[in-house]
Amino acid sequence: MLFMNHQNLKKNMIWNAAGNLIYLGCQWLITVLVARSAQFEAAGVLSVALSMSATFQTLANFGIRSFQVSDVENRYTDNCYVFFRVIACSVAMVACLLTSVAVGYRSETLLCIALYMLFRIAESLSDVLHGIAQKNDRLDVAGKSFAIKGIGLLVLFVAGYLWSDRLSVGLAGMAVFSCASTLLYDLTVTRRLASFRFFDYRSGWLALAKETWPLCAYLFLSSAIVMLPRLILEQRCGEEILGIYASVFAPATLIQAAMGYVYNPFAQLLGEYRARGDRKAFLVLSAKIMVAIAAVAGVMVAVASFAGKFLLGLLLGEAILPHTDLLIPILLAIALISIFGFLCMLAIVLRAFFFLLVGCAVGLALCALITVPMIDKVGMNAPSYALILSALVASVVLTAGILQKLFQRQK
């Protein structure tokens, strides 16, 4: 199986990257549609729904995808991973709704948050099924699934949103299609690769929860690092200002996703290097991936420097042109967040959970401290600068922890 994994790695990466880019491209087109067909306030509501649901999706995912696919010793069964995901999704849904009400969101905004969270829950259930497929050398299943979902989500959102002129109707179409796709495609295909049950109370899920709770904490903290500056901007300046920032940020999400597809497929291979104590192979592969991330970031910043204003105007309309100065700081923030994300994956593969939590906690604390003062000084660029500094400091802390853990294991 190890030979087959390496032999098919290129094919799996291509399928995974292509499917995910289609999926995220369609989601990005939804953001563009909202920005162009309505006021920036609607884009702000969409950004709030996206941010709140993404933060609580970390509870649903519990941060264990990299742990799952790098569990080459099969310490936990597929039943365990699936049942634990069902429990985590249920808790995340309730927590998201209660928090949204407590923060003060009402009516249409609250409904949009609930619908987007339902969409996220379906994503999380698909994620654990894709993990099973990946361990069976079929990461292409995830890519095909995302391609199908991306096109379906876009069609149903556009139909519902344009027909009703209500954001919630479009999001309802997204949620329904995502749930149906998870059940009809992901579950059906994955069951052909492995036998598992959704509800296995004796699967050992509690032991898995105890071992991986630092991953949930890490994912929640790392997600909060990205989302907190935008939520602070919305609370201080309103949904319209957030909508402007989110509209410019939307194209950058494709770049962030592309970065993830550069390194995520290597989690299992890095886990195998860890299992056999091959420090040199681990470091060489990690260095190559880091160079690839830096190269992608460099190309994107260069393109944005020369053609960013033209491209944003073409995609989002003339109303966005006064705000094109937001693009370069956003791209730099995305680059550093991607590097930090890769370092987090390395820490998970090495089971360096203590350093993972410390790095994320330092980044979040710094983000919380500097965002408000930066809003007063640089306005809408504040979230980007806060992310740049926070991700940089957190990456330094995490790199030190990873090297310490790696050399400690070798010794």
Side-chain angles (χ1 to χ4, degrees), residues 93-117:
M93 187 70 184
V94 173
C96 178
L97 295 179
L98 292 178
T99 302
S100 299
V101 172
V103 169
Y105 293 119
R106 296 290 185 271
S107 62
E108 183 75 3
T109 301
L110 182 60
L111 178 59
C112 289
I113 292 173
L115 290 170
Y116 215 106
M117 189 62 199

Side-chain angles (χ1 to χ4, degrees), residues 10 12 30 51 126-127 194 209 214 231 245-246 300 309 328 334 357 368:
K10 182 177 180 180
N12 285 340
I30 289 173
S51 299
S126 291
D127 178 71
L231 293 177
Y245 180 84
M300 293 299 101
K309 185 174 183 177
I328 297 299
I334 289 294
L357 291 178

Side-chain angles (χ1 to χ4, degrees), residues 133-294:
Q134 184 175 355
K135 290 192 70 174
N136 285 273
D137 199 33
R138 289 294 307 277
L139 187 57
D140 61 297
V141 170
K144 294 171 183 177
S145 171
F146 281 124
I148 294 170
K149 286 185 179 181
I151 296 172
L153 295 174
L154 178 62
V155 171
L156 286 181
F157 178 87
V158 170
Y161 182 61
L162 294 183
W163 171 73
S164 65
D165 198 29
R166 290 185 61 190
L167 188 61
S168 58
V169 175
L171 294 179
M174 284 178 54
V176 170
F177 183 84
S178 186
C179 291
S181 178
T182 297
L183 294 174
L184 298 178
Y185 180 80
D186 296 323
L187 181 59
T188 300
V189 174
T190 308
R191 282 195 182 278
R192 296 172 184 169
L193 303 175
S195 178
F196 58 88
R197 298 191 302 274
F198 266 96
F199 302 98
D200 186 351
Y201 299 93
R202 300 179 180 179
S203 61
W205 65 273
L206 190 57
L208 176 61
K210 290 179 179 178
E211 182 173 358
T212 58
W213 72 264
L215 298 180
C216 180
Y218 133 72
L219 199 59
F220 187 86
L221 292 172
S222 61
S223 176
I225 290 173
V226 178
M227 301 303 173
L228 182 61
R230 279 188 274 180
L231 293 177
I232 292 175
L233 182 67
E234 186 263 341
Q235 291 292 322
R236 289 182 63 87
C237 303
E239 290 176 343
E240 183 175 353
I241 295 299
L242 175 62
I244 295 171
Y245 180 84
S247 297
V248 180
F249 195 91
T253 57
L254 292 177
I255 301 171
Q256 185 179 6
M259 300 289 195
Y261 306 142
V262 169
Y263 61 78
N264 280 330
F266 291 97
Q268 187 175 3
L269 183 57
L270 289 165
E272 292 167 1
Y273 291 152
R274 169 190 59 82
R276 66 174 185 244
D278 194 343
R279 184 182 65 184
K280 180 179 179 180
F282 189 97
L283 288 172
V284 169
L285 180 57
S286 299
K288 289 180 179 179
I289 295 172
M290 188 74 78
V291 170
I293 295 173

